[in-house]
Amino acid sequence: MCGRFTLTVTEDQLKMRFGVEEIPFDYQPRYNIAPGQMLTAVIQHEGQKRLGQLKWGLVPFWAKDASIGYKTINAKSETVAEKPAFKNAFQRKRCLIPADGFYEWQKSASGKQPMRILLKDREIFTMAGLYDTWTSPEGEKLHTCTILTTKPNPLVSEIHDRMPVILRREDEGLWLDREHFDSDLLHSLLTPYSEDEMFSYPVAAMVGHVKNELPECIAEI
Protein backbone atom coordinates (compact mmCIF):
# COMPACT_ATOMS: atom_id res chain seq x y z
CA MET A 1 0.00 0.00 0.00
CA CYS A 2 0.98 3.62 -0.48
CA GLY A 3 -1.14 5.91 1.66
CA ARG A 4 1.04 8.97 2.34
CA PHE A 5 3.90 10.64 0.52
CA THR A 6 5.82 13.89 0.12
CA LEU A 7 6.82 16.27 -2.65
CA THR A 8 8.87 18.97 -0.98
CA VAL A 9 10.90 20.27 -3.94
CA THR A 10 10.66 23.81 -5.35
CA GLU A 11 8.62 24.79 -8.38
CA ASP A 12 11.82 25.31 -10.38
CA GLN A 13 13.10 21.85 -9.48
CA LEU A 14 9.82 20.33 -10.64
CA LYS A 15 9.90 22.23 -13.94
CA MET A 16 13.49 21.20 -14.60
CA ARG A 17 12.87 17.55 -13.76
CA PHE A 18 10.03 17.20 -16.27
CA GLY A 19 11.12 19.73 -18.88
CA VAL A 20 8.09 22.01 -18.65
CA GLU A 21 8.05 25.80 -18.79
CA GLU A 22 5.10 26.42 -16.51
CA ILE A 23 2.93 24.78 -13.88
CA PRO A 24 -0.74 25.65 -14.41
CA PHE A 25 -1.70 25.65 -10.74
CA ASP A 26 -0.50 27.09 -7.46
CA TYR A 27 2.26 24.62 -6.63
CA GLN A 28 3.33 24.38 -3.00
CA PRO A 29 5.77 21.91 -1.37
CA ARG A 30 3.83 19.11 0.34
CA TYR A 31 4.93 17.23 3.46
CA ASN A 32 2.02 14.86 4.09
CA ILE A 33 -0.06 14.12 0.98
CA ALA A 34 -3.05 11.91 1.82
CA PRO A 35 -5.84 10.08 -0.06
CA GLY A 36 -8.72 12.28 -1.12
CA GLN A 37 -6.44 15.29 -1.59
CA MET A 38 -5.24 16.90 -4.81
CA LEU A 39 -1.77 15.83 -5.90
CA THR A 40 0.66 16.74 -8.66
CA ALA A 41 0.65 14.44 -11.67
CA VAL A 42 2.31 14.23 -15.09
CA ILE A 43 0.54 13.09 -18.24
CA GLN A 44 1.60 13.11 -21.87
CA HIS A 45 -0.42 14.97 -24.51
CA GLU A 46 0.61 15.00 -28.16
CA GLY A 47 4.09 13.89 -27.19
CA GLN A 48 4.60 16.60 -24.56
CA LYS A 49 4.64 16.21 -20.79
CA ARG A 50 2.04 18.23 -18.91
CA LEU A 51 1.79 18.86 -15.19
CA GLY A 52 -1.58 19.12 -13.51
CA GLN A 53 -3.53 18.10 -10.44
CA LEU A 54 -5.59 14.98 -9.83
CA LYS A 55 -7.62 13.89 -6.83
CA TRP A 56 -6.14 10.82 -5.15
CA GLY A 57 -8.62 7.95 -5.34
CA LEU A 58 -9.58 6.79 -8.83
CA VAL A 59 -13.22 7.10 -9.91
CA PRO A 60 -13.72 5.15 -13.18
CA PHE A 61 -15.71 6.90 -15.90
CA TRP A 62 -18.49 4.31 -15.54
CA ALA A 63 -18.95 4.63 -11.76
CA LYS A 64 -22.44 5.44 -10.43
CA ASP A 65 -21.01 7.88 -7.90
CA ALA A 66 -17.66 9.17 -6.66
CA SER A 67 -17.60 7.20 -3.41
CA ILE A 68 -15.62 4.36 -5.03
CA GLY A 69 -12.57 6.64 -4.88
CA TYR A 70 -12.09 5.86 -1.19
CA LYS A 71 -11.36 2.23 -2.13
CA THR A 72 -9.13 2.85 -5.12
CA ILE A 73 -6.19 4.88 -3.85
CA ASN A 74 -3.93 1.98 -4.87
CA ALA A 75 -3.97 -0.59 -7.66
CA LYS A 76 -2.09 -3.87 -7.33
CA SER A 77 0.28 -4.20 -10.28
CA GLU A 78 -0.31 -7.96 -10.39
CA THR A 79 -4.03 -7.56 -11.21
CA VAL A 80 -4.26 -4.07 -12.72
CA ALA A 81 -4.97 -5.39 -16.22
CA GLU A 82 -8.00 -7.40 -15.06
CA LYS A 83 -9.70 -5.30 -12.39
CA PRO A 84 -12.74 -3.43 -13.80
CA ALA A 85 -11.81 -0.20 -11.99
CA PHE A 86 -8.35 -0.08 -13.55
CA LYS A 87 -8.13 -2.08 -16.80
CA ASN A 88 -9.29 0.70 -19.13
CA ALA A 89 -7.00 3.29 -17.54
CA PHE A 90 -4.10 0.82 -17.69
CA GLN A 91 -4.52 0.69 -21.45
CA ARG A 92 -4.93 4.38 -22.19
CA LYS A 93 -4.56 6.67 -19.18
CA ARG A 94 -1.24 6.17 -17.44
CA CYS A 95 0.43 8.98 -15.51
CA LEU A 96 3.41 9.74 -13.31
CA ILE A 97 3.03 10.80 -9.67
CA PRO A 98 6.14 12.79 -8.64
CA ALA A 99 7.39 12.34 -5.08
CA ASP A 100 10.55 12.66 -3.04
CA GLY A 101 9.55 10.26 -0.26
CA PHE A 102 6.72 8.10 1.03
CA TYR A 103 5.62 7.02 4.50
CA GLU A 104 4.91 3.57 5.90
CA TRP A 105 4.31 2.46 9.46
CA GLN A 106 6.62 -0.16 10.98
CA LYS A 107 5.20 -2.39 13.68
CA SER A 108 7.18 -2.70 16.90
CA ALA A 109 6.68 -3.83 20.45
CA SER A 110 5.82 -0.27 21.46
CA GLY A 111 3.38 0.35 18.61
CA LYS A 112 3.72 1.63 15.05
CA GLN A 113 6.64 3.82 14.07
CA PRO A 114 6.17 5.99 10.94
CA MET A 115 9.10 5.79 8.55
CA ARG A 116 9.96 7.99 5.59
CA ILE A 117 11.42 6.10 2.63
CA LEU A 118 13.30 7.91 -0.13
CA LEU A 119 16.16 7.70 -2.61
CA LYS A 120 19.72 8.01 -1.36
CA ASP A 121 20.29 11.01 -3.63
CA ARG A 122 17.08 12.60 -2.26
CA GLU A 123 15.99 13.44 -5.80
CA ILE A 124 12.48 13.41 -7.27
CA PHE A 125 11.22 9.99 -8.30
CA THR A 126 8.01 9.00 -10.05
CA MET A 127 5.39 6.49 -8.97
CA ALA A 128 3.38 4.71 -11.65
CA GLY A 129 -0.18 5.99 -11.70
CA LEU A 130 -3.44 5.70 -13.61
CA TYR A 131 -6.04 8.41 -14.06
CA ASP A 132 -9.60 8.78 -15.27
CA THR A 133 -12.32 11.41 -15.66
CA TRP A 134 -15.77 10.91 -14.14
CA THR A 135 -18.75 13.10 -14.93
CA SER A 136 -21.34 13.69 -12.23
CA PRO A 137 -25.11 13.67 -12.97
CA GLU A 138 -24.90 17.47 -12.86
CA GLY A 139 -22.23 17.47 -15.57
CA GLU A 140 -19.25 18.32 -13.38
CA LYS A 141 -16.00 16.58 -14.26
CA LEU A 142 -13.79 14.95 -11.63
CA HIS A 143 -10.21 14.04 -12.54
CA THR A 144 -8.81 11.32 -10.27
CA CYS A 145 -5.90 8.90 -9.99
CA THR A 146 -4.51 5.84 -8.28
CA ILE A 147 -0.95 4.73 -7.45
CA LEU A 148 0.26 1.26 -8.42
CA THR A 149 1.86 -0.96 -5.81
CA THR A 150 4.07 -4.03 -5.96
CA LYS A 151 5.78 -6.42 -3.58
CA PRO A 152 8.40 -4.73 -1.39
CA ASN A 153 12.13 -4.81 -1.86
CA PRO A 154 14.18 -6.07 1.14
CA LEU A 155 14.48 -2.57 2.61
CA VAL A 156 10.73 -1.87 2.54
CA SER A 157 9.79 -5.44 3.54
CA GLU A 158 11.17 -4.68 7.01
CA ILE A 159 8.53 -1.97 7.26
CA HIS A 160 5.54 -2.99 5.12
CA ASP A 161 4.35 -5.77 2.82
CA ARG A 162 3.76 -3.51 -0.22
CA MET A 163 5.48 -0.52 -1.81
CA PRO A 164 4.61 1.92 -4.61
CA VAL A 165 5.86 1.13 -8.09
CA ILE A 166 8.78 3.53 -8.60
CA LEU A 167 9.73 3.85 -12.25
CA ARG A 168 13.26 4.17 -13.50
CA ARG A 169 13.73 7.50 -15.21
CA GLU A 170 14.47 5.84 -18.54
CA ASP A 171 11.13 4.00 -18.38
CA GLU A 172 8.92 7.03 -17.74
CA GLY A 173 8.38 7.75 -21.44
CA LEU A 174 7.22 4.21 -22.10
CA TRP A 175 4.75 4.38 -19.20
CA LEU A 176 3.32 7.68 -20.47
CA ASP A 177 3.02 6.60 -24.11
CA ARG A 178 -0.72 6.43 -24.85
CA GLU A 179 -0.32 5.47 -28.50
CA HIS A 180 1.25 2.06 -27.96
CA PHE A 181 -0.04 -0.55 -25.53
CA ASP A 182 1.93 -3.69 -24.76
CA SER A 183 0.65 -5.26 -21.55
CA ASP A 184 3.63 -7.57 -21.08
CA LEU A 185 6.13 -4.77 -21.65
CA LEU A 186 4.33 -2.45 -19.23
CA HIS A 187 4.09 -5.17 -16.60
CA SER A 188 7.87 -5.61 -16.85
CA LEU A 189 8.21 -2.10 -15.40
CA LEU A 190 6.07 -2.84 -12.36
CA THR A 191 8.79 -4.34 -10.19
CA PRO A 192 10.28 -3.37 -6.80
CA TYR A 193 12.77 -0.53 -7.02
CA SER A 194 16.35 -1.39 -6.07
CA GLU A 195 16.94 -1.29 -2.32
CA ASP A 196 20.54 -0.26 -3.00
CA GLU A 197 19.31 3.16 -4.12
CA MET A 198 16.96 3.76 -1.19
CA PHE A 199 17.06 4.42 2.56
CA SER A 200 14.61 5.13 5.36
CA TYR A 201 14.46 6.97 8.66
CA PRO A 202 11.92 7.40 11.49
CA VAL A 203 9.72 10.48 11.69
CA ALA A 204 7.32 11.88 14.26
CA ALA A 205 3.87 10.42 14.87
CA MET A 206 2.37 13.71 13.70
CA VAL A 207 2.36 12.42 10.11
CA GLY A 208 -0.48 10.12 11.12
CA HIS A 209 -2.83 13.09 11.15
CA VAL A 210 -3.70 14.42 7.70
CA LYS A 211 -4.11 17.97 9.00
CA ASN A 212 -0.40 18.09 9.82
CA GLU A 213 1.22 19.58 6.70
CA LEU A 214 4.49 20.97 8.01
CA PRO A 215 8.21 20.65 7.30
CA GLU A 216 8.49 19.00 10.71
CA CYS A 217 6.72 15.96 9.24
CA ILE A 218 9.88 14.95 7.38
CA ALA A 219 12.34 15.64 10.21
CA GLU A 220 14.28 12.59 11.35
CA ILE A 221 13.81 11.66 15.00
Side-chain angles (χ1 to χ4, degrees):
M1 181 178 178
C2 176
R4 298 287 178 82
F5 69 96
T6 64
L7 182 61
T8 67
V9 299
T10 66
E11 184 173 339
D12 286 342
Q13 287 175 306
L14 200 60
K15 288 178 182 178
M16 186 177 299
R17 172 63 170 78
F18 295 103
V20 299
E21 294 184 358
E22 62 179 35
I23 298 177
F25 58 91
D26 181 24
Y27 171 78
Q28 298 292 332
R30 299 289 308 279
Y31 300 93
N32 194 10
I33 303 170
Q37 297 178 352
M38 301 301 290
L39 53 76
T40 297
V42 183
I43 66 169
Q44 186 164 283
H45 179 69
E46 297 181 349
Q48 299 296 318
K49 292 187 180 71
R50 294 175 57 184
L51 267 71
Q53 287 190 307
L54 299 170
K55 185 176 181 179
W56 189 3
L58 190 137
V59 181
F61 71 91
W62 47 258
K64 292 182 178 180
D65 58 66
S67 63
I68 189 175
Y70 293 103
K71 302 177 181 178
T72 53
I73 65 168
N74 292 151
K76 285 189 174 182
S77 59
E78 297 89 341
T79 58
V80 68
E82 291 82 38
K83 292 291 185 180
F86 306 125
K87 63 180 183 180
N88 290 315
F90 180 57
Q91 293 177 18
R92 290 283 296 161
K93 293 186 175 182
R94 298 179 298 275
C95 62
L96 305 175
I97 310 296
D100 59 8
F102 64 95
Y103 299 113
E104 288 295 357
W105 278 254
Q106 186 173 36
K107 292 181 181 179
S108 67
S110 57
K112 291 185 176 181
Q113 171 61 55
M115 305 288 292
R116 186 172 183 236
I117 305 161
L118 58 165
L119 302 188
K120 287 181 177 178
D121 61 12
R122 295 179 179 265
E123 293 291 331
I124 300 171
F125 58 85
T126 59
M127 300 180 288
L130 307 175
Y131 70 99
D132 209 342
T133 300
W134 177 78
T135 305
S136 73
E138 295 74 32
E140 296 180 356
K141 293 186 181 298
L142 179 66
H143 306 289
T144 62
C145 67
T146 187
I147 295 173
L148 273 71
T149 65
T150 186
K151 61 184 180 180
N153 62 29
L155 171 73
V156 180
S157 67
E158 296 293 321
I159 304 169
H160 199 269
D161 61 359
R162 300 289 290 178
M163 69 179 291
V165 172
I166 298 174
L167 295 168
R168 294 178 300 177
R169 190 163 182 171
E170 60 266 30
D171 293 331
E172 292 175 355
L174 175 60
W175 182 254
L176 287 176
D177 186 358
R178 299 176 60 183
E179 303 304 318
H180 303 91
F181 176 71
D182 184 327
S183 182
D184 291 338
L185 182 57
L186 290 172
H187 269 105
S188 72
L189 309 182
L190 308 181
T191 57
Y193 201 78
S194 172
E195 66 166 325
D196 295 334
E197 299 179 40
M198 305 179 74
F199 76 106
S200 66
Y201 63 82
V203 295
M206 66 184 297
V207 302
H209 300 281
V210 297
K211 292 183 179 180
N212 292 329
E213 180 71 68
L214 303 165
E216 289 80 2
C217 288
I218 65 172
E220 183 173 0
I221 62 169

